[in-house]
C-alpha cells in the first residue's frame, strides 16, 4: 500500500529538520527499512530544508503558508501542507 504524503511537521529551532510526515491524519512510518521513506531520503529532505531556511525568518515562512503548531518542546514547529495533485 502506497501512502500519499499530505503534510510534514518541521522544527526550525536550531538546524531545520523534518520531524514527521503525514498522509491525512495518519503519521507515515519514516523509520529506515520499515516505511516508504528511508533515512537517506529523509536526510536529503532535511539538507534541502536547511539550505532553504538558512536566511529565512518566521515571518517569511508564515507568509508562505506554514502553520505554527503549538508544542511543549519547540517554539518553532510548523506544519507544511503539500498541494494536492489534480487527476486528469
Amino acid at each position: 500500500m502506497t501512502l500519499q504524503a499530505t503534510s510534514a511537521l518541521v522544527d526550525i529551532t536550531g538546524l531545520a529538520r523534518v520531524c514527521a510526515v503525514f498522509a491525512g491524519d495518519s503519521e507515515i512510518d519514516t523509520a529506515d527499512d520499515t516505511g516508504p521513506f528511508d533515512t537517506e531520503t529523509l536526510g536529503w529532505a532535511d539538507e534541502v530544508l536547511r539550505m532553504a531556511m538558512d536566511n529565512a525568518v518566521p515571518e517569511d515562512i508564515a507568509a508562505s503558508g506554514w502553520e505554527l503548531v503549538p508544542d511543549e518542546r519547540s517554539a518553532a514547529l510548523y506544519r507544511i501542507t503539500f498541494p494536492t495533485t489534480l487527476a486528469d
Side-chain angles (χ1 to χ4, degrees):
M1 178 172 129
T2 302
L3 297 174
Q4 177 78 26
T6 58
S7 66
L9 287 181
V10 176
D11 189 346
I12 63 167
T13 306
L15 294 176
R17 62 187 170 81
V18 176
C19 297
V21 180
F22 293 86
D25 292 334
S26 301
E27 185 172 354
I28 297 174
D29 183 1
T30 56
D32 197 22
D33 295 332
T34 61
F37 301 101
D38 58 26
T39 53
E40 183 177 347
T41 302
L42 290 173
W44 181 244
D46 278 343
E47 178 65 13
V48 170
L49 175 65
R50 186 196 58 75
M51 289 187 298
M53 297 302 299
D54 273 348
N55 297 313
V57 295
E59 293 79 16
D60 293 338
I61 62 174
S64 298
W66 290 34
E67 176 188 352
L68 182 63
V69 176
D71 186 76
E72 294 177 1
R73 295 171 285 169
S74 174
L77 185 67
Y78 289 85
R79 178 176 301 277
I80 304 169
T81 301
F82 306 133
T84 58
T85 56
L86 300 175
D88 293 337

